[in-house]
Amino acid sequence: QLQLQESGPGLVKPSETLSLTCTVSGASISSSGDYWGWIRQTPGKGLEWIGTIYYSGTTYYNPSLKSRVTISVDTSKNQFSLGLTSVTAADTAMYYCARPAASSGYSYVDNWGQGMLVTVSS
Amino acid sequence: DILMTQSPSSLSASVGDRVTITCRASQSISSYLNWYQQKPGKAPKLLIYAASSLQGGVPSRFSGSGSGTDFTLTISSLQPEDFATYHCQQSHSSPYSFGRGTKLEIK
């Protein structure tokens, strides 16, 4: 059974870089055809798609965050990571790692981590 | 970006009621519409994908319909465990955007 678990600092100072890691168990992160992604949720904006990385390393980032986001994969550890630079209070959110899937060309998220609350504050 | 608008934002209902939640896309998304259920302190859970396909293990009292810009999620007979927040999401065009959610509360 696929499981995802976020980890990282729960408190980040303004202007610094937010770094989170998602550890995948129950599947190989380098499985052909699999995408891995990050989604965040705030009370004000709801759920927001941050970006995804394909097993080959190809990435897609939400244009609203693209200048500040990096998603990478470490196949040796079966992990993928999120980096978000120059954070502000607006980046305070619950961050979820996720495994998007698809059926007959329709994409959806059928596996989510439990979420990690990251607060941006000095 | 495609804007997803849900209505109502909150809803009070009783066990056994039939409930309908609406999601409207700012442009046509064919049937690229997913519904998720989220309970407090938990990650969203996929209920329906491709507008009307029930995810495995989801009770048949949940159903989805619609195409183009207008979609509905229907719960045919509310159960106590159904009180939660429901989100729609379009997967037609990146970035895959979500609605703001509909909170379903006990009357």
Side-chain angles (χ1 to χ4, degrees):
Chain A
Q1 181 182 356
L2 180 65
Q3 290 188 314
L4 309 172
Q5 178 68 59
E6 304 88 350
S7 60
L11 179 64
V12 182
K13 290 182 168 57
S15 79
E16 294 190 346
T17 297
L18 179 159
S19 296
L20 295 176
T21 296
C22 183
T23 300
V24 178
S25 57
S28 170
I29 202 166
S30 56
S31 294
S32 176
D34 278 349
Y35 286 88
W36 307 93
W38 290 94
I39 297 166
R40 69 181 184 180
Q41 185 173 29
T42 62
K45 294 183 67 175
L47 290 158
E48 181 178 29
W49 195 279
I50 299 172
T52 53
I53 187 164
Y54 197 44
Y55 78 101
S56 63
T58 301
T59 53
Y60 167 81
Y61 301 136
N62 188 325
S64 69
L65 298 168
K66 185 175 183 178
S67 63
R68 299 194 291 132
V69 171
T70 301
I71 298 176
S72 59
V73 169
D74 185 338
T75 56
S76 66
K77 295 182 179 178
N78 221 37
Q79 296 174 333
F80 62 102
S81 298
L82 169 69
L84 182 66
T85 62
S86 305
V87 297
T88 69
D91 296 309
T92 294
M94 183 70 77
Y95 286 78
Y96 294 99
C97 60
R99 199 282 303 271
S103 174
S104 301
Y106 292 94
S107 180
Y108 46 82
V109 179
D110 63 347
N111 278 279
W112 301 69
Q114 66 183 25
M116 177 146 194
L117 179 63
V118 178
T119 301
V120 178
S121 175
S122 56
Chain B
D1 295 5
I2 297 176
L3 178 65
M4 305 301 294
T5 304
Q6 284 184 239
S7 61
S9 56
S10 64
L11 175 61
S12 294
S14 301
V15 172
D17 284 354
R18 179 183 180 90
V19 168
T20 297
I21 297 169
T22 297
C23 181
R24 174 165 289 176
S26 61
Q27 64 187 73
S28 177
I29 57 171
S30 184
S31 296
Y32 292 88
L33 192 282
N34 307 318
W35 289 100
Y36 300 87
Q37 177 194 66
Q38 186 177 27
K39 296 185 178 179
K42 299 293 186 181
K45 171 189 171 184
L46 178 68
L47 297 176
I48 288 170
Y49 64 95
S52 61
S53 296
L54 199 65
Q55 172 70 345
V58 174
S60 60
R61 63 181 179 274
F62 290 93
S63 64
S65 65
S67 66
T69 60
D70 294 313
F71 302 86
T72 59
L73 171 70
T74 300
I75 310 172
S76 60
S77 178
L78 272 174
Q79 299 303 300
E81 61 269 27
D82 300 338
F83 292 94
T85 299
Y86 293 85
H87 306 274
C88 63
Q89 179 215 10
Q90 63 84 15
S91 60
H92 179 273
S93 305
S94 297
Y96 293 165
S97 44
F98 293 84
R100 293 292 298 273
T102 294
K103 187 173 184 179
L104 180 52
E105 299 175 304
I106 301 174
K107 183 182 287 183

